[in-house]
Amino acid sequence: EDIAKHRKEENELKLKMQILDANRHEKKEHVERMKKLEALYKDNVKRMRNTLETKLRKAAVAFEEQRQERMKKYARNNDELEFKRKQALALKHELDEGLSKWGEQVQEVQENNIRRAEKQVEEERSRRRERLREERRSRERQVMERRKESKERDDRELKFKQQKIQKKNQRVLTLIKGREESIERQRHLARTTARLRRTIRSQSCSNSISILNI
């Protein structure tokens, strides 16, 4: 029996050692897996950051190119308008000096050219004003949308808080009602107990009187 008991203890000890070794091995594997996952996570974050920075740089370059192109286009338009205006003035001066007999026709051509140039300038100004108005309207819409979203979010939070308060008040009312009902039950029980005691005392007195009479 001592040998069997000793073998049993040895087997139990071996089993415990095996379990401890398995736990240590599993813990070591878990640590290694976590290290690999952390390294993979850091690598993914680094790649995402590099990709985002590259996209931002490209977007900035594209935006600058578009801005430069718009400025060049605006400068070309101004140069063309200025050239046309100077051309019209030069034509007027030349016709005034050498072609006096065609004065009326020259005057008409000059006025047409000036009107055309002014019309082009006014059209460009109108387009610019319209773009500015559209940008302003777009900003206003964005502001209104943000305000609307903020109001909806505040309304949701307020509704949630009101619901919480209502639930809390309901719980309080339920507790108060339960306490009142418990008090009322206790009062009813007390009244019933008092009536029973009076009945018992009355019956006891009657029995005592009956016994005395006998």
Side-chain angles (χ1 to χ4, degrees), residues 9-211:
E9 290 177 353
E10 287 182 350
N11 291 331
E12 290 178 352
L13 181 61
K14 289 180 180 179
L15 181 60
K16 289 181 180 179
M17 294 299 295
Q18 290 175 357
I19 292 173
L20 290 174
D21 290 339
N23 289 336
R24 283 195 295 271
H25 181 69
E26 183 178 355
K27 184 176 180 181
K28 183 178 179 181
E29 289 182 347
H30 176 71
V31 171
E32 291 177 354
R33 285 197 301 270
M34 293 302 296
K35 288 182 179 179
K36 290 180 180 179
L37 289 173
E38 184 178 0
L40 182 61
Y41 172 75
K42 290 181 179 179
D43 186 54
N44 289 333
V45 170
K46 183 178 180 181
R47 285 201 300 270
M48 290 174 64
R49 183 172 62 250
N50 293 335
T51 302
L52 181 60
E53 290 176 353
T54 302
K55 290 182 178 179
L56 290 174
R57 285 195 298 270
K58 290 181 179 179
V61 171
F63 177 78
E64 182 62 23
E65 290 177 352
Q66 292 177 359
R67 190 180 69 83
Q68 293 291 338
E69 184 62 27
R70 286 196 298 270
M71 292 179 63
K72 290 179 181 179
K73 184 178 180 181
Y74 180 74
R76 286 197 299 270
N77 291 335
N78 286 339
D79 292 341
E80 290 176 359
L81 292 175
E82 184 65 20
F83 175 74
K84 289 180 179 179
R85 189 181 68 81
K86 291 180 179 180
Q87 188 178 31
L89 293 174
L91 179 61
K92 176 181 179 296
H93 182 71
E94 181 181 356
L95 291 175
D96 285 342
E97 289 182 351
L99 302 172
S100 58
K101 62 180 179 180
W102 300 102
E104 293 181 0
Q105 295 179 358
V106 169
Q107 185 70 25
E108 184 178 356
V109 170
Q110 175 194 354
E111 291 176 355
N112 289 336
N113 288 335
I114 291 175
R115 281 195 297 270
R116 190 180 301 110
E118 290 176 349
K119 183 179 179 181
Q120 291 177 351
V121 172
E122 185 60 29
E123 289 176 352
E124 180 62 26
R125 288 177 179 173
S126 297
R127 287 192 293 270
R128 187 164 58 252
R129 286 195 296 269
E130 182 62 28
R131 285 197 300 270
L132 292 175
R133 282 195 294 269
E134 181 61 29
E135 291 176 358
R136 186 172 60 254
R137 286 194 293 267
S138 177
R139 288 194 297 270
E140 290 175 353
R141 284 194 298 269
Q142 292 176 357
V143 171
M144 292 300 294
E145 289 176 357
R146 286 195 293 270
R147 288 179 179 175
K148 182 180 178 181
E149 292 175 356
S150 178
K151 185 177 182 302
E152 291 176 351
R153 184 170 57 254
D154 293 339
D155 291 342
R156 288 194 299 270
E157 292 178 357
L158 178 60
K159 184 177 180 181
F160 177 72
K161 291 178 180 178
Q162 290 175 346
Q163 289 176 350
K164 286 182 67 177
I165 292 172
Q166 289 176 356
K167 290 180 179 178
K168 185 176 180 181
N169 292 337
Q170 187 64 35
R171 288 196 298 270
V172 171
L173 291 174
T174 302
L175 290 174
I176 293 173
K177 184 178 180 181
R179 289 178 182 176
E180 291 177 351
E181 291 177 351
S182 177
I183 293 170
E184 184 61 28
R185 285 194 300 270
Q186 291 176 3
R187 289 176 179 174
H188 179 71
L189 180 60
R191 288 195 295 269
T192 302
T193 303
R195 285 197 301 270
L196 290 173
R197 287 177 178 174
R198 287 197 297 271
T199 301
I200 292 170
R201 284 199 297 271
S202 176
Q203 288 178 356
S204 298
C205 290
S206 297
N207 292 334
S208 298
I209 293 170
S210 297
I211 291 171

